[in-house]
Amino acid sequence: CDLVAMRAAMTAGEARADQPAEFALQKGGLRPSIETSLHAVFPQRVVVHVHCVNTLAFAIRQDAKAALGAHLAGFDWAIVPYTKPGARLAAQVQAVLGPRTDVMVLANHGLIVAADTVAAAFALLDRVVTAVKVTPRSVPPDVGLAGRQEHGFRALPSDHPLHSVAMLTDLLMLATSGSLYPDHVIFCGVGATALLPGETPSQAVTRVVAAGLPAPVFLLVPETGALLHEDASYSARAVAQCLGDVLTRVQQGVAVHVLTMAENAELLNWDAEKYRQSLNAR
């Protein structure tokens, strides 16, 4: 991308700053990421953006800034509230960047580290991830889970973290309270669906779709375990595991911030994300 032109468009507040394809040096090829502007606001040469599960376990918390402060005291870091990815989020990041800020936490989204070389960026990333690392809780599924398989939904491997989410009441409540970050909405639908007492997987899917939401990719069976649809894409499987990896790292009694229904809707109806889904489907 033409970095100079993109930065100028962002500084001028131009609408095209939110259209990275406008700045692609090679026309007619793959589109640049919608988050190109997020990389452009850093002065460092190398900018790495990840959805680290250890960081997300803090970034979804209502007290994220205070909780992270205890772990990132030795870093020049900042945090911004959740905003739909794109130029508006990049502008928020730019507004809190200090002269040497090289670690940025995006609430309900992920982590950015920046440096002048690839080696330095990954060394910094490793230090941050180590600083926020949390040992996950783990509970095996109930033996009765196999009896709940139906409508293309099959039991996940016994060591899958989503089983622990279904087995632990506090994590089940967090999972079903709403969506916690954008990629979950794109690849797994809105929030998580738990089977109601006596409900079958097919009945749960009908209930969710009737509410105007995408059909769930996975289902949580309270106090029993988790089921995944056999047709789930590679990306959906990865994001389903991400939810388990994140929530099992959230301390008991912690309150989380969930995306509003309006924020869910703007992600589901977003051309940029429909394009990304089409690429992943290939």
Side-chain angles (χ1 to χ4, degrees), residues 96-134:
V96 300
L97 282 176
R100 292 186 174 84
T101 303
D102 54 8
V103 176
M104 183 67 59
V105 177
L106 310 175
N108 291 89
H109 187 153
L111 169 69
I112 298 173
V113 297
D116 287 325
T117 67
V118 172
F122 277 94
L124 177 58
L125 177 62
D126 184 65
R127 287 174 51 218
V128 174
V129 172
T130 299
V132 298
K133 191 172 183 179
V134 177

Side-chain angles (χ1 to χ4, degrees), residues 218-234:
F218 64 89
L219 295 169
L220 301 174
V221 187
E223 300 181 352
T224 307
L227 305 168
L228 180 77
H229 199 277
E230 57 191 6
D231 291 335
S233 68
Y234 173 84

Side-chain angles (χ1 to χ4, degrees), residues 60 62 108 165 169-181 184 190-194 213 218 220 243 247 250 254-261 264:
I60 63 174
Q62 292 185 10
N108 291 89
V165 174
T169 303
D170 65 308
L171 299 188
L172 180 64
M173 291 180 63
L174 294 183
T176 56
S177 64
S179 307
L180 298 171
Y181 37 83
H184 185 96
V190 176
T193 300
L213 299 174
F218 64 89
L220 301 174
L243 181 66
L247 288 182
V250 175
V254 165
V256 301
H257 175 266
V258 299
L259 305 190
T260 65
M261 290 309 294
N264 286 315

Side-chain angles (χ1 to χ4, degrees), residues 57-59 61-72 77 132 251 254:
F58 287 99
R61 292 171 56 152
Q62 292 185 10
D63 64 345
K65 184 174 183 178
L68 282 164
H71 296 266
L72 299 179
W77 74 286
V132 298
Q251 296 175 348
V254 165

